[in-house]
Amino acid sequence: MQFKDQIDFIRQHMKRNKLRVATTILAATMGCAFLIVLASIGFGLHQTITDDVLDNNMVTEIEIAGKSGGETEVAPADIPAADLQKIREMEHVVAVVERNQPEAEAQTVIGNRSAYSRIVLSSMEEEQKAGFALSEGKMPSKAEEIVVGYHMAKQLLTEAEMEKEANGEEVDGFAGSLIGQTIELQLTPFRDEGEEAKESSSWEFVVTGIAKEPAKDWMTDNSVYADSSWGAVFNEELDLQQGYKYILVYADELQNVGGITDTLKEDGYYVYSVTEELGSMNVFFTALKAGLIFVGTIAVLIASIGIFNTMTMAVTERTREIGVMKAVGAQPKLIRKLFLMESAAIGIIGTVLAVAISFAISLLSNWLIPMIVLNSLGEDRPADFTLVISTIPWQLVVIASAISIGVAMLSGWRPARKATQIDVIQALRQEM
Amino acid sequence: MIKIRGLHHHFNIGKKGDQRQVPVLKGVTLEVSEGEIVAILGKSGSGKSTLLHILAGFMLPEAGSVMVNGKETSVLKEAEQADFRLQNFGFIFQNFQLMPGLSAFENVELPLKIKGMDEKERKLKVENLLQKVGLQEVAGHYPNELSGGQQQRVSIARALITDAPIILADEPTGSLDSETEKEILLLIQSLNKKLGLTFVIITHDEEVATVADRQYRLHDGELVKGEQRHAI
Ligand SMILES: Nc1ncnc2c1ncn2[C@@H]1O[C@H](COP(=O)(O)OP(=O)(O)OP(=O)(O)O)[C@@H](O)[C@H]1O
Ligand SMILES: [Mg+2]
């Protein structure tokens, strides 16, 4: 029998029992749609959280938190410069930044204004390669020159202004540009509780550039970026401990972060990157998705009972016709195929409808639920946070379709086999 | 064309543990040559249908040989039987056995579909044949819209459509009135003459047997040669 005729044949049969076939398809549709929608929540949440992580991190940044050195562990500050140079020369690595923070409280002073600040000691050249950029001015060329954070000017307040701000009033801070201004940097060593206040020292710097605005509008940057050579100067003058050193490796593209991370790990470095964070999350979400698909499959299995019933009834009803077909010369293989195709057709139609319905439900819930949730949070809602409830990637469509159609064909298997086993003589004896 | 030798068959009757063997065929031998009409008569329950079912390959005999067109069919597997039937046999049943969901045209077309013939070729062939058996007017009718005689014509057309050389008929006129019976018998006779088809007709009706070239009587599990006469 030609394939076209087979399709024709099962279409005719399905038409003859419209209501029964329709209700069976409905059940298959509901089962499959349940599976897709349920699993889509796992995919959606995964996406929300992945987006959030990628959004809030320098995604191409890999932090080196140390290195294993046989028995002992090597702290970032003790990793030899030659090793870091090797990393710098790795493929896809654009920069290796070594950032130091002195163990001291820092205050910037200009005239009668002052602000608490964070000191970042680093090679500005390397920082620039890593993506550090200015909103104004130029990069320092001498050791006495510095770059200050975007919000520095606004944070430099007089004492009167500080009081005002404490009372919740708006203050303007330093008016005009800080570029070219000389800033005094006052460092006071950290002290433990109960310890006496320690002597502070100050240095003067010329501001040559203002860093660009931070990516997130809730971040404030009032740092002082100075050359790393100052670390030794500060430590000596104030008798400070060697502070923690951040070693950050920058990849050219996100897709290369994983490779670099793996290589560094092989070389014994303790590393931390977005791919690491996402990696451990992926494990969790893969398990969650698998679990949801499993639960959804139960719905598909329940629907398959309907398909089994429908096909069994179809075979019983058509016993005489099957007998005639066989008498005329139809192969048992053909009979089986026709019935399997019919149950597959129910599965396929149900799946197609289910996919369409699932996309509609997914769209609707992505629009409705975040609206309700975010509104109920009122003012506290996190800024620019997008909540994705449900995502249907093509992989989910493929998995759900395979499960639904597979289960439909499996449930049609027994009835189809029963059809092939029908005895011609018995079948022909049946009344019309 | 058909050579049956020493055919034996019995049925097991009754529940398990209390079974009885009922022999139905006890060494049947029959030869049918090409272009013949052979009638097999016999009382109800004498085993006529059983003989036909074995000949058609619907069931396997307990013992004996069935040769059709030089091929031993009693050893074929189910799938091979189906194929063999498609090539060699056409069937006419007492209660027509038409597909209720298919029109007269589609019923006749069915064996060709199973054979896998192209739609164009198929349609042409069916139209031709329906004309020959006088059904072109009712081609689009469904079985429940046809008279008994018309239904049997459809069923005969379906038996002929594959150009099978042998037509097996089990009580072909059993459900028809005597007027229609005559019509159908005339059709069978003319098909036999024009197309040279071989017919094996099973009947308990002496009248039907009159179209046959040879008659046999199945009695007590054995086939006995009946009188030979050419009628009509
Ligand atoms: N499947 C079966 N199981 C048991 N016995 C059977 C079976 N089929 C037929 N028989 C028996 O075999 C005998 C012959 O049956 P068969 O149908 O061949 O007779 P028949 O000559 O065709 O009769 P009729 O003219 O009434 O159609 C009968 O006694 C019947 O009871
Ligand atoms: Mg009979």
Side-chain angles (χ1 to χ4, degrees):
Chain A
M1 208 172 193
Q2 291 182 354
F3 188 69
K4 188 171 77 66
D5 290 327
Q6 295 175 7
I7 299 278
D8 244 26
F9 190 90
I10 60 167
R11 217 187 35 216
Q12 239 161 10
H13 274 187
M14 289 169 82
K15 259 201 217 147
R16 256 162 73 193
N17 253 309
K18 274 201 202 91
L19 186 64
R20 196 172 67 200
V21 170
T23 49
T24 312
I25 289 177
L26 180 68
T29 304
M30 283 166 65
C32 182
F34 179 77
L35 163 62
I36 296 177
V37 170
L38 190 68
S40 80
I41 295 171
F43 283 91
L45 292 180
H46 192 181
Q47 195 198 320
T48 299
I49 293 185
T50 304
D51 286 353
D52 199 45
V53 167
L54 293 180
D55 238 33
N56 289 315
N57 283 278
M58 277 293 293
V59 290
T60 53
E61 189 177 273
I62 303 159
E63 186 181 343
I64 295 186
K67 188 180 184 182
S68 71
E71 301 279 297
T72 55
E73 286 177 11
V74 182
D78 301 330
I79 294 173
D83 285 4
L84 296 181
Q85 192 53 37
K86 242 188 238 162
I87 297 173
R88 223 167 252 136
E89 282 157 12
M90 271 168 65
E91 228 184 314
H92 302 300
V93 170
V94 292
V96 176
V97 166
E98 301 163 62
R99 263 181 222 160
N100 242 319
Q101 255 176 299
E103 297 274 281
E105 224 172 73
Q107 209 169 12
T108 48
V109 181
I110 181 164
N112 60 346
R113 296 172 180 274
S114 66
Y116 282 98
S117 182
R118 185 175 74 108
I119 301 180
V120 178
L121 300 175
S122 184
S123 152
M124 293 315 283
E125 209 178 312
E126 204 65 19
E127 288 282 0
Q128 227 175 343
K129 281 191 216 158
F132 185 86
L134 299 178
S135 64
E136 240 185 287
K138 56 181 178 54
M139 294 302 274
S141 53
K142 289 187 225 123
E144 294 77 25
E145 292 178 344
I146 54 165
V147 170
V148 293
Y150 184 82
H151 297 101
M152 177 62 86
K154 240 183 160 350
Q155 303 270 327
L156 282 166
L157 303 177
T158 61
E159 270 182 35
E161 278 178 327
M162 281 184 203
E163 231 166 87
K164 267 184 165 183
E165 196 188 35
N167 293 335
E169 287 176 58
E170 284 276 323
V171 289
D172 294 330
F174 185 87
S177 175
L178 280 173
I179 294 193
Q181 301 281 346
T182 303
I183 276 186
E184 187 189 333
L185 187 64
Q186 242 175 49
L187 294 186
T188 316
F190 290 138
R191 54 179 173 150
D192 294 326
E193 226 171 309
E195 249 183 310
E196 275 177 50
K198 289 182 180 164
E199 289 237 352
S200 55
S201 301
S202 353
W203 287 266
E204 283 195 344
F205 294 94
V206 178
V207 178
T208 61
I210 311 284
K212 73 163 181 232
E213 193 177 359
K216 300 278 158 202
D217 54 7
W218 45 265
M219 290 181 183
T220 44
D221 182 8
N222 55 351
S223 314
V224 168
Y225 301 92
D227 191 74
S228 41
S229 59
W230 286 97
V233 178
F234 295 155
N235 290 353
E236 175 139 355
E237 179 73 24
L238 293 166
D239 194 18
L240 300 176
Q241 301 276 331
Q242 165 72 42
Y244 186 79
K245 189 174 184 184
Y246 290 91
I247 299 181
L248 303 167
V249 177
Y250 288 88
D252 52 357
E253 274 176 75
L254 175 59
Q255 66 193 46
N256 296 323
V257 171
I260 296 172
T261 304
D262 290 343
T263 316
L264 292 176
K265 274 209 265 185
E266 275 166 31
D267 292 347
Y269 292 101
Y270 303 126
V271 292
Y272 183 78
S273 69
V274 161
T275 56
E276 288 287 284
E277 184 172 349
L278 292 180
S280 54
M281 251 169 43
N282 283 348
V283 174
F284 169 76
F285 275 101
T286 304
L288 177 69
K289 287 181 218 169
L292 292 177
I293 288 174
F294 177 77
V295 174
T297 302
I298 293 173
V300 174
L301 288 176
I302 293 170
S304 79
I305 297 172
I307 298 177
F308 178 82
N309 273 337
T310 296
M311 294 314 296
T312 305
M313 277 170 82
V315 170
T316 309
E317 263 177 17
R318 290 179 220 150
T319 297
R320 199 182 61 80
E321 291 180 49
I322 294 163
V324 174
M325 300 250 318
K326 285 178 113 179
V328 166
Q331 300 271 340
K333 228 170 38 192
L334 174 64
I335 308 273
R336 185 175 62 219
K337 191 170 172 206
L338 289 173
F339 278 93
L340 276 181
M341 276 171 70
E342 191 167 334
S343 52
I346 291 174
I348 290 169
I349 296 172
T351 302
V352 169
L353 290 176
V355 169
I357 289 171
S358 304
F359 271 107
I361 292 176
S362 174
L363 274 179
L364 192 72
S365 58
N366 280 341
W367 172 71
L368 208 61
I369 296 177
M371 206 160 73
I372 294 168
V373 170
L374 293 179
N375 277 341
S376 72
L377 286 178
E379 291 291 295
D380 301 334
R381 82 166 102 175
D384 59 66
F385 178 70
T386 46
L387 180 60
V388 179
I389 297 295
S390 141
T391 313
I392 306 178
W394 64 266
Q395 292 94 330
L396 176 57
V397 174
V398 169
I399 293 170
S401 304
I403 291 175
S404 294
I405 297 169
V407 166
M409 288 186 74
L410 271 182
S411 48
W413 184 260
R414 249 188 74 88
R417 213 186 51 165
K418 194 178 148 202
T420 66
Q421 288 167 345
I422 282 172
D423 178 51
V424 179
I425 302 167
Q426 296 298 335
L428 294 182
R429 220 171 251 161
Q430 281 197 356
E431 286 306 305
M432 285 188 133
Chain B
M1 180 136 263
I2 301 174
K3 256 190 199 147
I4 297 176
R5 300 243 170 285
L7 205 61
H8 284 263
H9 200 75
H10 73 255
F11 287 107
N12 292 322
I13 298 183
K15 288 197 186 93
K16 261 197 182 146
D18 182 29
Q19 267 186 349
R20 230 156 25 89
Q21 284 200 345
V22 180
V24 179
L25 303 177
K26 303 187 245 177
V28 170
T29 296
L30 170 70
E31 247 178 77
V32 181
S33 25
E34 196 172 343
E36 254 191 323
I37 302 181
V38 169
I40 294 171
L41 283 150
K43 286 207 292 280
S44 182
S46 58
K48 307 183 295 291
S49 295
T50 305
L51 174 59
L52 190 88
H53 292 158
I54 290 173
L55 177 56
F58 295 159
M59 60 200 258
L60 295 180
E62 207 177 287
S65 127
V66 180
M67 297 274 282
V68 179
N69 273 341
K71 187 155 185 162
E72 177 63 53
T73 63
S74 61
V75 296
L76 296 180
K77 295 205 184 62
E78 195 184 353
E80 296 167 328
Q81 293 278 16
D83 229 26
F84 191 81
R85 277 201 290 276
L86 194 57
Q87 305 300 330
N88 294 281
F89 292 128
F91 292 95
I92 305 171
F93 302 100
Q94 174 176 357
N95 42 9
F96 325 129
Q97 302 289 9
L98 299 177
M99 300 285 196
L102 300 181
S103 68
F105 189 98
E106 291 164 335
N107 263 289
V108 177
E109 196 185 13
L110 182 65
L112 296 185
K113 274 193 182 173
I114 291 174
K115 244 184 162 169
M117 189 182 276
D118 265 346
E119 187 170 350
K120 255 196 196 152
E121 202 181 338
R122 213 160 67 196
K123 298 270 185 238
L124 215 70
K125 211 167 150 87
V126 174
E127 259 163 45
N128 255 326
L129 184 60
L130 286 181
Q131 191 133 24
K132 258 187 222 158
V133 296
L135 281 172
Q136 67 274 38
E137 309 277 284
V138 293
H141 289 220
Y142 285 85
N144 61 359
E145 300 163 346
L146 296 170
S147 74
Q150 286 171 325
Q151 285 186 60
Q152 196 57 302
R153 278 167 190 274
V154 174
S155 141
I156 290 172
R158 183 180 63 189
L160 299 179
I161 195 72
T162 54
D163 297 319
I166 303 165
I167 309 296
L168 304 180
D170 193 350
E171 309 275 11
T173 58
S175 304
L176 304 173
D177 59 57
S178 58
E179 196 72 9
T180 324
E181 174 179 308
K182 236 175 227 142
E183 242 177 67
I184 294 294
L185 291 176
L186 277 171
L187 178 63
I188 288 177
Q189 219 167 22
S190 84
L191 288 170
N192 166 256
K193 290 242 163 64
K194 278 191 208 149
L195 305 174
L197 294 171
T198 308
F199 281 86
V200 176
I201 302 172
I202 279 182
T203 182
H204 61 270
D205 185 347
E206 304 279 346
E207 183 67 28
V208 174
T210 54
V211 300
D213 299 318
R214 284 188 294 136
Q215 295 179 10
Y216 288 91
R217 213 165 277 279
L218 192 56
H219 182 71
D220 211 9
E222 279 171 56
L223 209 54
V224 222
K225 208 159 189 183
E227 71 242 60
Q228 245 171 300
R229 68 177 145 122
H230 291 272
I232 313 187

